[in-house]
Amino acid sequence: MMPELIPVLSKEDLEKSVAGIAKRISADYRHRKPILVGVLKGAFVFLSDLIRQLTIPVKIDFIRTASYGDETSSSGTVCLTKGLEIDINGEDVLVVEDIVDSGVTLRWILDYLNGLGPASVRICALVDKRERRQIDVHVDYACHVVQEGFLVGYGLDCAEDFRHLPAVYHLKK
Ligand code: IMP
Ligand code: MG
């Protein structure tokens, strides 16, 4: 059966929420130059739109994690497949994630980053998905809060499909 794509966030919704978050981040980090750490691959579209709305200077780096599970849920075992290239010791770090779901990946990322001696670490996520949260991680900047559903588009994938879609959809199988 063909999976069904149900619209959740339109291009306009995304533009508006990203601009709003960029404004908050620019205000909170004024006179500072945070290092934005994008979590590959899902966050690359969000990160690229976000940084062009900021009014503060930033540096950009990426990490990539893998969690072995099925297509739509995390296994609980996270490993790093690409680490940071910039030294974050003494720097303000803002993690840019696509979705926080169970919180397992983010907890792992926070432990990794905190081990490198940053001055501060905050979290920015396109979507804070609350229903399956297992670990209590605080998302400082969330563009959207949703309760449930598997989302694709705007960088988010299902088995590497749908990342290119300009809006976010609920994938109903
Ligand atoms: P967590 O460890 O369960 O919080 O899962 C985090 C990662 O799983 C996210 O960074 C996403 O890459 C992926 N993920 C979780 N929910 C979704 C979704 O609805 N669509 C696409 N990817 C998701
Ligand atoms: Mg991710």
Side-chain angles (χ1 to χ4, degrees):
M1 219 182 81
M2 280 288 284
E4 201 183 332
L5 293 175
I6 300 155
V8 175
L9 302 168
S10 68
K11 258 176 92 167
E12 293 71 29
D13 294 335
L14 291 163
E15 266 168 38
K16 224 174 127 182
S17 66
V18 173
I21 285 289
K23 209 171 161 184
R24 279 180 54 202
I25 292 170
S26 299
D28 292 353
Y29 287 89
R30 68 190 172 279
H31 310 311
R32 282 146 79 188
K33 192 199 270 188
I35 298 175
L36 269 52
V37 174
V39 184
L40 293 171
K41 302 178 196 173
F44 83 105
V45 177
F46 172 43
L47 179 73
S48 68
D49 280 348
L50 177 71
I51 57 176
R52 286 176 291 174
Q53 297 284 341
L54 295 173
T55 56
I56 49 161
V58 292
K59 291 185 184 181
I60 312 289
D61 205 348
F62 292 97
I63 58 171
R64 178 149 163 71
T65 58
S67 117
Y68 298 102
D70 62 28
E71 278 170 18
T72 57
S73 71
S74 145
S75 64
T77 314
V78 182
C79 74
L80 192 72
T81 58
K82 186 220 169 294
L84 282 177
E85 290 167 23
I86 298 179
D87 182 6
I88 63 166
N89 193 339
E91 305 287 343
D92 294 309
V93 172
L94 182 62
V95 179
V96 181
E97 251 286 29
D98 53 358
I99 295 202
V100 182
D101 184 17
S102 68
V104 170
T105 306
L106 190 55
R107 177 74 266 159
W108 196 97
I109 289 170
L110 288 173
D111 291 345
Y112 163 69
L113 295 174
N114 280 320
L116 299 171
S120 69
V121 181
R122 285 189 193 162
I123 313 297
C124 172
L126 178 68
V127 177
D128 186 355
K129 196 163 73 174
R130 299 270 173 86
E131 194 199 29
R132 298 199 293 191
R133 190 64 47 84
Q134 293 167 22
I135 295 178
D136 187 25
V137 281
H138 177 66
V139 178
D140 301 276
Y141 305 97
C143 286
H144 298 276
V145 175
V146 305
Q147 284 309 311
E148 57 182 351
F150 195 81
L151 306 180
V152 296
Y154 198 70
L156 303 170
D157 75 308
C158 179
E160 299 301 331
D161 284 326
F162 310 115
R163 290 195 201 273
H164 64 289
L165 299 177
V168 172
Y169 298 85
H170 177 191
L171 183 70
K172 217 172 146 194
K173 289 204 183 176

